[in-house]
Amino acid sequence: MKSDCIQTTICPERKKDPIEMFHSGQLVKVCAPMVRYSKLAFRTLVRKYSCDLCYTPMIVAADFVRSIKARDSEFTTNQGDCPLIVQFAANDARILSDAARIVCPYANGIDINCGCPQRWAMAEGYGACLINKPELVRDMVKQVRNEVENPRFSVSVKIRIHDDLPRTVDLCRKAEATGVSWITVHGRTVEERHQPVHYDAIKIIKENMSIPVIANGDIRSLKEAENVWQITGTDGVMVARGLLANPAMFAGYEETPLKCIWDWVDIALELGTPYMCFHQHLMYMMEKITSRQEKRIFNALSSTSAVLDYLTDHYGI
């Protein structure tokens, strides 16, 4: 776990409870937890373009607690990286609370992943299988609440929905009663991947809760984010792939502006982002602004210097 010495801004938000944002009446714009992608450099970028709250990639709590190497590779932050939520995959209350105590000085809260549908995660007892284990979720939330002394430290959950929606409403009510700070709802079932998002289900869940609810699923522009916020009545929206394709979307850009690409280059190089991650983000960002031939050339580049030469030659960056 590294607290990076490079900082972009002094952040007073670390002392602020993110829940205050949810009660502001304004749309809270959230960067989703994305394995490999929502790391410090990308979080720094989207914060420059009107993102209010960021999540780390999902971290396996057991590995994080057991291994210093895992902590150093999985969690890097700096003073400007806030407000910040660390998402954990966990199936044991004691291990999760130990992980929460480790990150407590560096983050505003933790999130329990109860929505990942990947087979490996569910086979390990993580992710979306937890929506069928409300007692375990309750125990994990209670344990973190008991072990972390900071009363402003949030404990949230991110879920998918059941085919039988009343089961999801019941799960959320139980989580609320346990002391969960807010709930993020991805409006698909475990089996659904690219099917339309059930925003009507998210709306029903929100109507049955008194804590904040974040809507998640297939949001690709600020206009779509505002529309989902309105139709669901939620307190915020969380975006994953839409931000990968356009990190400036929350600032109202329809496609990635060249300035955002320039900002990414500066941030990634300053923070020492590994080449594969640096290049992959650019491939996502430039998807809409490059031709098929340009993609073929750019995607085949194999070094930072080659990427910089390409950007200079084609975009004057």
Side-chain angles (χ1 to χ4, degrees):
M1 182 175 66
K2 301 175 184 176
S3 184
D4 203 298
C5 62
I6 300 169
Q7 66 181 63
T8 53
T9 57
I10 300 296
C11 184
E13 303 301 320
R14 187 77 77 205
K15 297 178 181 178
K16 180 181 177 181
D17 185 346
I19 291 178
E20 292 178 15
M21 293 189 295
F22 293 124
H23 291 303
S24 69
Q26 303 297 312
L27 168 62
V28 179
K29 302 178 286 293
V30 185
C31 175
M34 292 178 277
V35 173
R36 296 186 301 277
Y37 295 122
S38 61
K39 294 195 171 186
L40 175 60
F42 188 71
R43 297 195 301 265
T44 302
L45 179 66
V46 297
R47 291 185 196 280
K48 287 176 69 74
Y49 291 92
S50 302
C51 184
D52 299 311
L53 178 64
C54 291
Y55 281 55
T56 68
M58 180 183 74
I59 300 170
V60 176
D63 295 340
F64 191 79
V65 170
R66 181 172 56 243
S67 166
I68 294 175
K69 183 178 179 181
R71 293 199 287 276
D72 285 344
S73 65
E74 294 297 322
F75 182 54
T76 303
T77 189
N78 63 20
Q79 195 168 2
D81 183 31
C82 52
L84 178 66
I85 304 300
V86 182
Q87 189 187 66
F88 285 112
N91 58 14
D92 180 277
R94 168 57 64 182
I95 290 173
L96 179 63
S97 68
D98 288 345
R101 284 192 294 125
I102 292 170
V103 301
C104 181
Y106 310 101
N108 295 82
I110 65 152
D111 184 80
I112 305 170
N113 187 317
C114 303
C116 178
Q118 295 185 39
R119 289 179 183 175
W120 75 265
M122 296 182 67
E124 294 287 338
Y126 305 140
C129 70
L130 291 175
I131 64 174
N132 297 316
K133 299 178 180 179
E135 291 79 17
L136 177 54
V137 174
R138 177 199 63 202
D139 291 347
M140 290 195 288
V141 173
K142 282 186 174 180
Q143 186 78 20
V144 175
R145 285 278 181 232
N146 290 337
E147 294 294 325
V148 175
E149 294 181 358
N150 181 0
R152 297 167 71 89
F153 192 76
S154 64
V155 184
S156 55
V157 297
K158 184 173 186 288
I159 67 170
R160 283 191 172 228
I161 60 174
H162 298 86
D163 287 310
D164 179 22
L165 189 59
R167 289 184 63 196
T168 313
V169 172
D170 183 61
L171 169 71
C172 292
R173 284 174 170 165
K174 287 178 178 176
E176 179 177 13
T178 303
V180 160
S181 305
W182 67 80
I183 296 174
T184 301
V185 183
H186 182 93
R188 292 188 177 98
T189 67
V190 176
E191 294 77 22
E192 292 176 325
R193 293 295 186 271
H194 304 292
Q195 291 89 337
V197 177
H198 302 286
Y199 295 121
D200 55 334
I202 300 176
K203 181 176 187 291
I204 291 170
I205 291 168
K206 172 58 186 174
E207 290 171 346
N208 281 273
M209 309 298 294
S210 56
I211 57 173
V213 175
I214 302 174
N216 173 230
D218 274 6
I219 298 167
R220 303 300 179 105
S221 69
L222 179 59
K223 185 176 180 179
E224 288 183 7
E226 292 171 338
N227 184 49
V228 168
W229 178 53
Q230 293 289 345
I231 65 175
T232 60
T234 49
D235 305 279
V237 296
M238 176 182 283
V239 178
R241 287 176 293 181
L243 279 175
L244 281 181
N246 178 10
M249 66 160 278
F250 281 146
Y253 292 91
E254 291 298 317
E255 59 186 30
T256 309
L258 290 180
K259 184 182 184 305
C260 183
I261 295 173
W262 180 79
D263 286 338
W264 170 246
V265 171
D266 278 354
I267 291 166
L269 295 183
E270 189 176 16
L271 292 175
T273 301
Y275 174 73
M276 285 187 66
C277 180
F278 169 67
H279 187 214
Q280 187 68 55
H281 273 292
L282 286 169
M283 288 163 61
Y284 280 120
M285 291 181 208
M286 297 169 64
E287 176 72 24
K288 288 185 178 180
I289 63 173
T290 51
S291 67
R292 184 176 299 178
Q293 176 63 17
E294 287 172 330
K295 287 183 181 66
R296 190 177 299 117
I297 295 169
F298 184 81
N299 294 357
L301 298 177
S302 58
S303 70
T304 300
S305 59
V307 168
L308 296 179
D309 287 345
Y310 181 94
L311 295 175
T312 300
D313 292 343
H314 288 75
Y315 301 104
I317 296 177

